Amino acid sequence: MAACIFCGNPANSREDAIPKWLTRAVLRGEIAGLDLEPGADGIHVALGDDGEPTREVRGRIGTVYLKICSGCNSGWMASLEGRVLPFLPQLIGAYPSGYPVGPVLRLDTQARSDLAAWALKTLMVFLHTGPGVKYRGVPAADYTHLYEQHRLSTRRMAVRAFQVPPTVLDRTTGKEVFIETGITSVVKPYKGFVGWLRVGHFAVQIYSMRLPAGKRLNPFKEYPSTLPLWPLTGQFVWPPDEAVSPTAFVDLVGGPFQIKTSAKR
């Protein structure tokens, strides 16, 4: 039996990459502003501001799962899902104009910590469901850290969030792709990765670096319409002033990435 990617125990349970409650809500049309194709699984084209293809992505909904252990599945992971459930639909949904559903959303420190952990967990799960299942891209120590701490490192991890217009379309149906992920390995000046996750209109970018003792990641360089999610600096008020354009999204997740550090205080 395969081992759980988080704790190493026998993988005797199944974790849906996208929680069933969210899949059902999307496919029933309960989240406004999303026109999705159930069970999409393949290569899709993302369109830029001028309507021309900018990148190819793999998108799925409701069909992807990963074998993990029952302890993780029914324990800390289920608890994490329960804590993001009240506000996640408001983040990923949008009116056709691109503005999120409902009133302004303010996340407190616990909600921000949970959202960052949920995003990293979801990215990790998806990395094990695509072609070349053994490919991880994320160091084993990061899986262990999330399993033990249930949150991200404040010293060597950073996350920012942004709103994205629904421009990723299925080639055959013309409908939106619900989720897309990506990861880039970084070797200089430090080893680590830059990953990203988009669910509906909500996207995050995650930095994780293997830093020497006494060093910590600097905050992200300011970028229009992005919000710092982790570490906990400033306020998190959704939505941003405006959505990130499709072309700007490509620039954000495609690099080059500026990895800067400072002395740990």
Side-chain angles (χ1 to χ4, degrees):
M1 180 179 294
C4 175
I5 62 173
F6 293 100
C7 68
N9 288 328
N12 57 359
S13 182
R14 188 176 98 166
E15 164 73 358
D16 293 288
I18 296 299
K20 291 180 179 178
W21 64 266
L22 185 54
T23 298
R24 288 193 295 266
V26 169
L27 297 183
R28 290 172 182 168
E30 297 172 0
I31 299 179
L34 294 177
D35 180 24
L36 298 171
E37 179 67 13
D41 187 3
I43 301 298
H44 310 275
V45 174
L47 305 180
D49 299 331
D50 57 359
E52 294 297 318
T54 57
R55 69 192 187 285
E56 289 191 331
V57 298
R58 182 170 296 276
R60 310 176 181 88
I61 178 171
T63 60
V64 181
Y65 64 88
L66 174 70
K67 287 281 191 175
I68 60 171
C69 76
S70 57
C72 285
N73 200 6
S74 61
W76 68 272
M77 295 174 76
S79 179
L80 186 62
E81 292 284 352
R83 294 197 299 274
V84 301
L85 187 154
F87 57 82
L88 189 59
Q90 190 172 340
L91 291 171
I92 68 175
Y95 292 114
S97 64
Y99 291 99
V101 176
V104 169
L105 178 66
R106 296 177 183 270
L107 297 185
D108 62 21
T109 56
Q110 185 61 57
R112 290 172 64 179
S113 176
D114 291 337
L115 181 59
W118 180 85
L120 179 59
K121 183 270 298 181
T122 302
L123 174 63
M124 287 172 165
V125 169
F126 264 98
L127 290 176
H128 285 260
T129 60
V133 173
K134 292 186 181 301
Y135 171 71
R136 290 174 171 81
V138 178
D142 285 357
Y143 290 88
T144 301
H145 178 91
L146 189 60
Y147 164 66
E148 293 177 345
Q149 304 296 326
H150 308 160
R151 68 177 213 167
L152 277 62
S153 167
T154 58
R155 186 178 71 88
R156 58 180 188 80
M157 294 181 177
V159 185
R160 61 180 167 184
F162 37 99
Q163 186 192 8
V164 184
T167 57
V168 182
L169 305 178
D170 183 281
R171 279 179 175 166
T172 57
T173 67
K175 293 191 174 184
E176 298 164 23
V177 176
F178 181 49
I179 187 167
E180 54 177 327
T181 61
I183 187 170
T184 301
S185 295
V186 176
V187 294
K188 293 181 179 180
Y190 306 103
K191 289 185 177 180
F193 72 90
V194 179
W196 56 273
L197 167 74
R198 181 188 67 81
V199 184
H201 295 258
F202 175 73
V204 295
Q205 185 177 47
I206 304 170
Y207 280 34
S208 178
M209 299 295 137
R210 311 304 298 174
L211 300 180
K215 290 284 188 179
R216 68 180 305 125
L217 274 179
N218 285 352
F220 281 107
K221 181 180 178 181
E222 288 190 14
Y223 193 96
S225 301
T226 63
L227 299 176
L229 180 61
W230 184 266
L232 303 174
T233 57
Q235 292 186 326
F236 187 92
V237 181
W238 191 266
D241 293 336
E242 60 181 335
V244 171
S245 71
T247 301
F249 180 64
V250 173
D251 292 338
L252 274 171
V253 303
F257 307 111
Q258 297 185 7
I259 312 297
K260 295 187 177 182
T261 62
S262 57
K264 182 182 178 182
R265 289 178 253 173

